[in-house]
Amino acid sequence: FDLIGIVHISQVVSPQEQVQVHRVVLSANSPYFRSLLHAHSHHPNPIIILHDVSYTTLKMLVTFMYR
């Protein structure tokens, strides 16, 4: 990966609840997000809005991905 491949992205549950994740971590754990991030690789810091996902659930998933 080049630098664009490892920069932060934001996953947003609500305007007040955001989680920062490295692209490489999200891509390594999800073919869906890998495809999505590849398709939008021209955005330096993309924001992914997740509907119907609680902040607690998102934090647990991201914590799991980093372990």
Side-chain angles (χ1 to χ4, degrees):
F1 285 96
D2 57 13
L3 286 178
I4 290 185
I6 60 171
V7 296
H8 286 88
I9 63 167
S10 295
Q11 292 185 313
V12 178
V13 178
S14 73
Q16 299 80 24
E17 299 173 317
Q18 300 183 19
V19 177
Q20 299 292 316
V21 184
H22 290 96
R23 283 179 192 242
V24 69
V25 172
L26 196 57
S27 294
N29 284 280
S30 169
Y32 172 77
F33 285 120
R34 182 181 316 121
S35 174
L36 181 70
L37 292 169
H38 180 71
H40 300 282
S41 61
H42 57 282
H43 294 290
N45 293 313
I47 295 174
I48 299 172
I49 299 172
L50 301 172
H51 297 283
D52 299 325
V53 177
S54 73
Y55 179 74
T56 303
T57 300
L58 180 59
K59 285 292 288 183
M60 287 189 316
L61 287 170
V62 170
T63 299
F64 176 79
M65 288 181 194
Y66 274 93
R67 291 185 180 202

XYZ file of all heavy atoms in Angstrom:
546
model
N 0.837 -1.190 0.000
C 0.000 0.000 0.000
C 0.876 1.245 0.000
O 1.920 1.285 0.611
C -0.875 0.051 1.255
C -2.022 -0.906 1.232
C -1.930 -2.133 1.838
C -3.192 -0.564 0.590
C -2.980 -3.008 1.824
C -4.256 -1.431 0.571
C -4.148 -2.653 1.181
N 0.403 2.276 -0.664
C 1.053 3.574 -0.541
C 0.395 4.300 0.631
O -0.453 3.747 1.314
C 0.937 4.366 -1.841
C -0.506 4.578 -2.288
O -1.423 4.337 -1.481
O -0.716 4.979 -3.418
N 0.778 5.537 0.876
C 0.223 6.262 2.015
C -1.284 6.397 1.948
O -1.953 6.360 2.968
C 0.872 7.639 2.142
C 2.294 7.635 2.677
C 2.840 9.057 2.717
C 2.369 7.017 4.052
N -1.839 6.562 0.750
C -3.291 6.694 0.638
C -3.967 5.411 1.083
O -5.065 5.421 1.591
C -3.688 7.089 -0.805
C -3.249 8.509 -1.067
C -5.166 6.928 -1.037
C -3.657 9.092 -2.379
N -3.291 4.280 0.967
C -3.882 3.015 1.353
C -3.983 2.799 2.840
O -4.667 1.891 3.280
N -3.299 3.602 3.661
C -3.335 3.344 5.097
C -3.872 4.498 5.925
O -3.893 4.418 7.135
C -1.935 2.958 5.614
C -0.926 4.064 5.378
C -1.480 1.648 5.035
C 0.406 3.836 6.049
N -4.304 5.567 5.291
C -4.800 6.708 6.055
C -6.139 6.386 6.690
O -6.785 5.409 6.351
C -4.913 7.985 5.186
C -3.563 8.424 4.713
C -5.858 7.765 4.030
N -6.547 7.229 7.606
C -7.787 7.028 8.349
C -9.018 7.230 7.474
O -9.023 8.021 6.554
C -7.879 8.014 9.513
C -6.983 7.672 10.635
N -5.690 8.118 10.695
C -7.191 6.928 11.734
C -5.136 7.667 11.794
N -6.025 6.944 12.445
N -10.039 6.504 7.822
C -11.372 6.777 7.305
C -12.272 6.922 8.524
O -11.926 6.483 9.619
C -11.890 5.660 6.377
C -12.033 4.346 7.134
C -11.018 5.498 5.181
C -12.817 3.333 6.365
N -13.395 7.522 8.328
C -14.367 7.673 9.414
C -15.581 6.822 9.119
O -16.111 6.856 8.016
C -14.808 9.128 9.566
O -13.737 9.925 9.967
N -16.005 6.059 10.096
C -17.271 5.365 10.008
C -18.218 6.100 10.938
O -17.925 6.265 12.121
C -17.133 3.901 10.417
C -16.305 3.109 9.425
C -16.286 1.652 9.773
O -16.072 1.285 10.910
N -16.506 0.829 8.783
N -19.333 6.529 10.403
C -20.242 7.394 11.139
C -21.538 6.653 11.442
O -22.172 6.105 10.552
C -20.548 8.673 10.331
C -21.523 9.559 11.073
C -19.260 9.410 10.009
N -21.906 6.648 12.706
C -23.182 6.089 13.135
C -24.195 7.211 13.303
O -25.350 7.092 12.932
C -23.008 5.286 14.447
C -24.328 4.736 14.919
C -21.998 4.164 14.252
N -23.747 8.321 13.862
C -24.569 9.513 14.010
C -23.613 10.706 13.992
O -22.402 10.517 14.085
C -25.370 9.477 15.313
O -24.520 9.704 16.413
N -24.119 11.920 13.872
C -23.220 13.076 13.837
C -22.286 13.175 15.044
O -21.186 13.681 14.943
C -24.175 14.270 13.782
C -25.405 13.728 13.170
C -25.507 12.298 13.657
N -22.705 12.656 16.183
C -21.885 12.735 17.383
C -21.002 11.504 17.596
O -20.128 11.516 18.445
C -22.764 12.909 18.630
C -23.589 14.159 18.638
C -24.860 14.047 17.801
O -25.362 12.962 17.561
N -25.357 15.173 17.334
N -21.239 10.432 16.845
C -20.538 9.169 17.080
C -19.815 8.707 15.820
O -20.428 8.253 14.865
C -21.521 8.097 17.540
C -22.211 8.464 18.838
C -23.308 7.497 19.217
O -24.087 7.106 18.334
O -23.379 7.146 20.395
N -18.485 8.843 15.852
C -17.657 8.446 14.726
C -16.522 7.581 15.219
O -16.057 7.732 16.341
C -17.077 9.673 14.022
C -18.104 10.608 13.471
C -17.461 11.768 12.735
O -16.311 11.706 12.342
N -18.211 12.826 12.549
N -16.066 6.674 14.369
C -14.952 5.804 14.688
C -13.928 5.939 13.571
O -14.273 5.822 12.398
C -15.419 4.334 14.813
C -14.240 3.415 15.079
C -16.468 4.196 15.903
N -12.677 6.191 13.944
C -11.594 6.282 12.978
C -10.989 4.894 12.781
O -10.740 4.180 13.754
C -10.506 7.245 13.469
C -10.990 8.661 13.673
C -11.343 9.347 12.364
O -10.617 9.247 11.395
N -12.466 10.029 12.359
N -10.776 4.521 11.527
C -10.225 3.209 11.193
C -9.230 3.386 10.052
O -9.456 4.200 9.155
C -11.338 2.239 10.736
C -10.788 0.854 10.479
C -12.479 2.187 11.721
N -8.132 2.629 10.077
C -7.195 2.649 8.959
C -7.783 1.857 7.790
O -8.372 0.793 7.993
C -5.851 2.025 9.354
C -5.083 2.855 10.305
N -5.125 2.646 11.668
C -4.260 3.907 10.097
C -4.350 3.535 12.253
N -3.820 4.315 11.334
N -7.596 2.367 6.585
C -8.093 1.678 5.389
C -7.591 0.247 5.311
O -8.333 -0.660 4.972
C -7.616 2.388 4.118
C -8.326 3.635 3.760
C -7.677 4.186 2.485
N -8.110 5.523 2.235
C -8.773 5.880 1.155
N -9.041 5.020 0.226
N -9.141 7.132 0.998
N -6.312 0.065 5.589
C -5.718 -1.262 5.450
C -6.353 -2.253 6.421
O -6.559 -3.422 6.073
C -4.178 -1.198 5.598
C -3.763 -0.873 7.013
C -3.524 -2.463 5.106
N -6.716 -1.820 7.616
C -7.364 -2.697 8.591
C -8.768 -3.052 8.128
O -9.164 -4.226 8.133
C -7.391 -2.044 9.992
C -8.235 -2.854 10.969
C -5.979 -1.864 10.514
N -9.527 -2.070 7.703
C -10.885 -2.316 7.233
C -10.876 -3.200 5.992
O -11.651 -4.144 5.876
C -11.583 -0.980 6.950
C -13.096 -1.015 6.813
C -13.760 -1.600 8.037
C -13.622 0.374 6.536
N -9.968 -2.937 5.062
C -9.869 -3.732 3.842
C -9.458 -5.167 4.116
O -9.946 -6.093 3.469
C -8.861 -3.092 2.875
O -9.326 -1.848 2.430
N -8.556 -5.368 5.054
C -8.092 -6.718 5.378
C -9.171 -7.563 6.033
O -9.146 -8.788 5.940
C -6.873 -6.641 6.296
N -10.129 -6.911 6.667
C -11.175 -7.632 7.389
C -12.494 -7.753 6.643
O -13.396 -8.450 7.115
C -11.428 -6.950 8.739
C -10.353 -7.266 9.737
O -10.384 -8.331 10.339
N -9.384 -6.386 9.886
N -12.630 -7.078 5.506
C -13.918 -7.082 4.822
C -13.758 -6.928 3.312
O -13.342 -5.866 2.843
C -14.784 -5.939 5.355
O -15.935 -5.759 4.557
N -14.136 -7.956 2.543
C -14.103 -7.821 1.082
C -15.031 -6.691 0.601
O -14.733 -6.015 -0.373
C -14.584 -9.169 0.572
C -14.433 -10.112 1.707
C -14.511 -9.291 2.965
N -16.151 -6.505 1.302
C -17.078 -5.440 0.920
C -16.414 -4.065 1.042
O -16.449 -3.257 0.115
C -18.339 -5.489 1.795
C -19.236 -4.297 1.572
C -20.051 -4.227 0.448
C -19.245 -3.236 2.464
C -20.865 -3.122 0.220
C -20.057 -2.138 2.255
C -20.861 -2.081 1.133
O -21.655 -0.986 0.908
N -15.799 -3.798 2.208
C -15.158 -2.501 2.404
C -13.918 -2.364 1.522
O -13.605 -1.280 1.059
C -14.823 -2.260 3.867
C -16.033 -1.923 4.694
C -16.407 -2.723 5.756
C -16.812 -0.815 4.403
C -17.529 -2.426 6.516
C -17.935 -0.504 5.150
C -18.300 -1.310 6.206
N -13.197 -3.463 1.264
C -12.049 -3.419 0.363
C -12.496 -2.941 -1.023
O -11.893 -2.047 -1.611
C -11.396 -4.797 0.254
C -10.159 -4.804 -0.626
C -9.527 -6.180 -0.746
N -9.446 -6.859 0.533
C -10.015 -8.041 0.788
N -10.685 -8.684 -0.152
N -9.894 -8.589 1.980
N -13.573 -3.510 -1.517
C -14.107 -3.124 -2.824
C -14.597 -1.674 -2.814
O -14.335 -0.910 -3.744
C -15.249 -4.063 -3.202
O -15.869 -3.656 -4.382
N -15.306 -1.297 -1.765
C -15.832 0.061 -1.638
C -14.707 1.090 -1.594
O -14.742 2.098 -2.309
C -16.687 0.170 -0.372
C -17.333 1.519 -0.093
C -18.441 1.796 -1.102
C -17.879 1.553 1.322
N -13.686 0.817 -0.795
C -12.566 1.761 -0.671
C -11.739 1.821 -1.947
O -11.236 2.876 -2.314
C -11.699 1.387 0.531
C -12.387 1.584 1.876
C -11.570 0.943 2.981
C -12.627 3.051 2.155
N -11.609 0.683 -2.622
C -10.876 0.677 -3.891
C -11.620 1.511 -4.939
O -11.010 2.270 -5.691
C -10.672 -0.754 -4.382
C -9.942 -0.835 -5.674
N -8.594 -0.545 -5.788
C -10.364 -1.144 -6.921
C -8.226 -0.678 -7.043
N -9.284 -1.037 -7.745
N -12.936 1.380 -4.978
C -13.750 2.118 -5.948
C -13.713 3.624 -5.702
O -13.932 4.410 -6.615
C -15.192 1.623 -5.906
N -13.442 4.016 -4.457
C -13.417 5.431 -4.097
C -12.047 5.840 -3.564
O -11.933 6.667 -2.658
C -14.502 5.732 -3.060
C -15.882 5.431 -3.564
N -16.547 6.265 -4.411
C -16.684 4.354 -3.375
C -17.719 5.732 -4.717
N -17.823 4.565 -4.098
N -11.001 5.287 -4.149
C -9.641 5.520 -3.667
C -9.158 6.947 -3.889
O -8.177 7.363 -3.288
C -8.673 4.531 -4.323
O -8.674 4.713 -5.726
N -9.848 7.709 -4.731
C -9.446 9.095 -4.977
C -9.818 10.028 -3.813
O -9.353 11.152 -3.761
C -10.054 9.602 -6.284
C -11.552 9.511 -6.331
N -12.210 8.321 -6.578
C -12.497 10.438 -6.137
C -13.519 8.535 -6.543
N -13.715 9.810 -6.280
N -10.627 9.550 -2.888
C -10.968 10.357 -1.709
C -9.915 10.123 -0.633
O -9.735 8.997 -0.181
C -12.345 9.978 -1.157
C -13.467 10.316 -2.079
N -13.854 11.608 -2.327
C -14.274 9.526 -2.828
C -14.865 11.602 -3.184
N -15.131 10.348 -3.503
N -9.225 11.166 -0.175
C -8.146 10.962 0.794
C -8.636 10.511 2.177
O -7.962 9.754 2.850
C -7.468 12.328 0.883
C -8.475 13.301 0.395
C -9.349 12.564 -0.578
N -9.788 10.954 2.610
C -10.335 10.574 3.922
C -11.832 10.320 3.796
O -12.647 11.160 4.195
C -10.076 11.670 4.963
C -8.620 11.829 5.272
O -7.922 10.848 5.492
N -8.148 13.056 5.276
N -12.206 9.156 3.263
C -13.638 8.904 3.047
C -14.404 8.747 4.351
O -13.840 8.414 5.389
C -13.651 7.591 2.266
C -12.366 6.943 2.586
C -11.382 8.040 2.851
N -15.673 9.006 4.253
C -16.594 8.818 5.374
C -17.608 7.766 4.945
O -18.218 7.877 3.890
C -17.312 10.126 5.742
C -16.303 11.153 6.252
C -18.397 9.869 6.782
C -16.901 12.519 6.507
N -17.757 6.746 5.768
C -18.728 5.691 5.504
C -19.833 5.832 6.536
O -19.580 5.762 7.744
C -18.077 4.297 5.602
C -16.963 4.178 4.570
C -19.131 3.210 5.417
C -16.127 2.924 4.704
N -21.047 6.028 6.071
C -22.191 6.188 6.965
C -22.876 4.835 7.102
O -23.249 4.212 6.112
C -23.168 7.253 6.429
C -22.440 8.603 6.338
C -24.413 7.336 7.321
C -23.224 9.685 5.661
N -23.015 4.393 8.339
C -23.628 3.103 8.619
C -24.972 3.311 9.299
O -25.039 3.801 10.423
C -22.705 2.273 9.521
C -21.321 1.994 8.948
C -20.443 1.345 10.004
C -21.412 1.129 7.713
N -26.028 2.935 8.624
C -27.375 3.031 9.197
C -27.674 1.751 9.971
O -27.194 0.676 9.629
C -28.415 3.222 8.095
C -28.241 4.491 7.332
N -28.628 5.714 7.826
C -27.692 4.742 6.119
C -28.337 6.653 6.946
N -27.764 6.084 5.901
N -28.454 1.848 10.980
C -28.900 0.694 11.771
C -27.756 -0.065 12.437
O -27.851 -1.269 12.667
C -29.736 -0.267 10.913
C -30.979 0.393 10.359
O -31.566 1.242 11.078
O -31.371 0.091 9.222
N -26.657 0.623 12.725
C -25.536 0.027 13.463
C -25.298 0.911 14.685
O -25.064 2.110 14.548
C -24.252 -0.040 12.596
C -23.091 -0.583 13.417
C -24.486 -0.882 11.350
N -25.356 0.306 15.861
C -25.148 1.108 17.063
C -23.663 1.439 17.214
O -22.786 0.728 16.718
C -25.646 0.361 18.301
O -24.767 -0.706 18.613
N -23.395 2.501 17.935
C -22.028 2.915 18.199
C -21.275 1.820 18.957
O -20.129 1.508 18.655
C -22.027 4.227 18.983
C -20.654 4.733 19.325
C -19.842 5.292 18.346
C -20.167 4.645 20.620
C -18.573 5.763 18.652
C -18.907 5.114 20.937
C -18.116 5.665 19.944
O -16.864 6.123 20.249
N -21.935 1.208 19.922
C -21.315 0.142 20.714
C -20.924 -1.035 19.827
O -19.819 -1.571 19.942
C -22.273 -0.325 21.830
O -22.623 0.796 22.635
C -21.656 -1.406 22.682
N -21.805 -1.436 18.942
C -21.512 -2.533 18.021
C -20.346 -2.186 17.107
O -19.441 -3.006 16.903
C -22.760 -2.878 17.184
O -23.810 -3.267 18.058
C -22.470 -3.991 16.193
N -20.348 -0.991 16.578
C -19.263 -0.569 15.695
C -17.933 -0.567 16.434
O -16.920 -1.049 15.916
C -19.561 0.814 15.106
C -18.496 1.370 14.171
C -18.269 0.453 12.978
C -18.902 2.764 13.699
N -17.901 -0.031 17.650
C -16.668 -0.014 18.440
C -16.163 -1.436 18.704
O -14.970 -1.707 18.625
C -16.873 0.717 19.766
C -16.954 2.213 19.655
C -15.648 2.832 19.256
C -14.658 2.764 20.398
N -13.387 3.404 20.089
N -17.076 -2.358 19.010
C -16.669 -3.744 19.248
C -16.083 -4.373 17.985
O -15.070 -5.085 18.049
C -17.859 -4.574 19.755
C -18.248 -4.257 21.176
S -19.468 -5.364 21.957
C -20.684 -5.587 20.687
N -16.698 -4.130 16.841
C -16.186 -4.673 15.580
C -14.803 -4.119 15.243
O -13.900 -4.862 14.841
C -17.165 -4.370 14.441
C -18.446 -5.182 14.439
C -19.426 -4.604 13.408
C -18.151 -6.636 14.147
N -14.628 -2.827 15.416
C -13.337 -2.213 15.115
C -12.262 -2.704 16.088
O -11.141 -3.008 15.672
C -13.454 -0.665 15.119
C -12.092 -0.009 15.053
C -14.325 -0.215 13.947
N -12.617 -2.837 17.352
C -11.675 -3.380 18.331
C -11.262 -4.789 17.922
O -10.071 -5.138 17.961
C -12.297 -3.379 19.740
O -12.611 -2.036 20.097
C -11.358 -3.992 20.759
N -12.199 -5.607 17.506
C -11.903 -6.962 17.049
C -10.975 -6.940 15.834
O -10.032 -7.742 15.753
C -13.203 -7.694 16.720
C -12.982 -9.065 16.152
C -12.671 -10.123 16.988
C -13.095 -9.284 14.790
C -12.460 -11.389 16.458
C -12.883 -10.542 14.263
C -12.577 -11.604 15.098
N -11.215 -6.043 14.901
C -10.384 -5.961 13.695
C -8.928 -5.614 14.003
O -8.028 -6.066 13.328
C -10.950 -4.917 12.734
C -12.204 -5.301 12.061
S -12.712 -3.989 10.950
C -14.386 -4.484 10.597
N -8.703 -4.830 15.023
C -7.348 -4.417 15.379
C -6.607 -5.464 16.227
O -5.430 -5.290 16.496
C -7.354 -3.071 16.099
C -7.342 -1.906 15.142
C -8.523 -1.315 14.723
C -6.141 -1.389 14.656
C -8.524 -0.254 13.843
C -6.128 -0.339 13.776
C -7.313 0.236 13.371
O -7.312 1.295 12.499
N -7.259 -6.517 16.644
C -6.596 -7.558 17.459
C -6.022 -8.634 16.619
O -6.238 -8.967 15.597
C -7.563 -8.160 18.462
C -7.894 -7.124 19.495
C -8.744 -7.698 20.566
N -8.999 -6.600 21.489
C -9.341 -6.767 22.710
N -9.496 -7.963 23.188
N -9.554 -5.742 23.484
